[in-house]
Amino acid sequence: MSGSSLLGRDELVRAVGGTVVLGSGEFRFCSVQTDSRAVEKESLFVPLIGERQDGHAYIPQALERGASVVLVARANYAADPAFFSALSQEHPAVFFIAVDNTLAALQAAAACYVRHFPSLIRIGVTGSSGKTTSKEIAAAILSRKYRVISNKGNLNSETGLPLSVFAIRAEHQLGIFEMGMNRKGEMKEIASVLRPQFALVTNIGTAHIGMLGSRQGIAEEKAHIFDYIDGDGTAVIPADDDFSAYLASRVRGKLVYYGDGKPEHVRLVADRGLDGTEISVEGVSAVLPLPGAYNARNALGAIALARELGLSPAQIAEGIASLRPLSGRSEVRRGTYTIIQDCYNANPDSMEKALSFAASVDGDFRRIYVLGDMLELGAGSSAAHAAAGRLAVHSRADAVVFVGSEMEAGYEAALAEHTDVTLRYVAGHDDAAIAAAAAAVQKTARPGDLVLLKGSRGMALERLCAVLEGGSR
């Protein structure tokens, strides 16, 4: 690297296939941003071009906030060179680098940066659901032996993953990064950035099936996470997934399975309901503080990965015990009501798991489910929401509140079941809809009752917590 810059000027230009068109003086950037609002002093700003917005419009704001290097699409530069010249006159020390495609350039720059850390153990985590939870469990365990870097939250996309790897520093020994996708070709792109030596797959479900057409299409795309695993690497895959054999066929390195009795000498000792699951690793016990059988299964994958990376049973148990519940993912908030806030993401698989868990929790309380739209399901959306409605009323529910335009199909299907479950439908997902949904819950719920909030991120059902009860925590 050049000085304190994450990449030197010539190195960056070569990596992105770019041309310096404006700027002179000392070249340095210490962070990378695609959102002008997040830019700070000495940032590389990458304006992305989307369906609705062109990030080039925000370059002036990025410069005012301290950007020191800007990538510019050649087409945008050619269309209005005077605009960029004027900006350069105001900010002569800022380097403008013209590239063919700013997203591809961001990914190429990130891949170049990762190559600065050849000794870093690189791990990718993917799957249709459970990615973030599995990554967080694995990171908590692996940190008992290694200095670990991982992406924050679910910054796992074509832009999120490249931005995340720029947080790698020389002190890190292991990087574990969640890798998501919602279109064909995306996993191949981001795998080329990280080039993972190890991979953990949670499952092949139906998330983003509207974009990829079928579960087979999803499996084919997810399997690109194995592209850079060779004889020295390992893929950890679920033994009980019906695409397990296909995933195995795409791996050139070592294969390790979990689930269906694996890893050996690991037992799920006891389901403690809302308090999590007790797990024994070769006789050493720990309580995973995340409720639900699906979270315990995620832990099995993380444990299998940790065993491959040389952690002892004691280190694994310590890592499990150190984990803290994840905000918005099976998060239990106790107040007047016991609220299971599971609204960071939703697809038919995770919806089924959430309903199954809520039904499995025993106690002297009523169950009220608030179900929001599952987004990006494509042509199968109506059928999937109808199936969720039918499942909800047969999951020990006392009341179900359906929220959103897609969930109208769930409501209609639930009505057709002719049960004695109280049903309500609220259209939309603006603040007024959230208030109406909260009112529907409060009309039915009593102190101590269990309230499940489950919906896609775009529905933001967590807003119900503040409306329902400021005392929940």
Side-chain angles (χ1 to χ4, degrees), residues 109-155:
C112 178
Y113 182 72
V114 171
R115 289 196 292 273
H116 278 271
F117 307 93
S119 63
L120 182 77
I121 299 169
R122 303 182 305 278
I123 305 168
V125 180
T126 196
S128 294
S129 57
K131 293 184 294 296
T132 302
T133 301
S134 294
K135 177 204 68 182
E136 293 292 339
I137 296 173
I141 295 172
L142 293 167
S143 65
R144 312 311 290 185
K145 178 177 181 178
Y146 300 99
R147 292 189 294 276
V148 174
I149 178 71
S150 64
N151 36 6
K152 296 178 181 179
N154 69 334
L155 282 172

Side-chain angles (χ1 to χ4, degrees), residues 147-216:
R147 292 189 294 276
V148 174
I149 178 71
S150 64
N151 36 6
K152 296 178 181 179
N154 69 334
L155 282 172
N156 61 19
S157 65
E158 60 189 0
T159 57
L161 187 278
L163 290 174
S164 293
V165 302
F166 279 110
I168 299 170
R169 296 293 182 265
E171 67 265 22
H172 295 130
Q173 298 171 307
L174 181 149
I176 180 164
F177 293 91
E178 179 182 342
M179 301 170 69
M181 58 88 199
N182 63 10
R183 61 168 174 82
K184 188 172 179 59
E186 187 172 1
M187 181 60 71
K188 190 175 183 68
E189 289 174 14
I190 61 177
S192 72
V193 172
L194 182 63
R195 301 172 79 93
Q197 305 150 297
F198 294 81
L200 169 60
V201 180
T202 61
N203 66 332
I204 301 298
T206 54
H208 310 302
I209 198 167
M211 305 289 187
L212 291 146
S214 66
R215 289 182 69 215
Q216 178 65 38

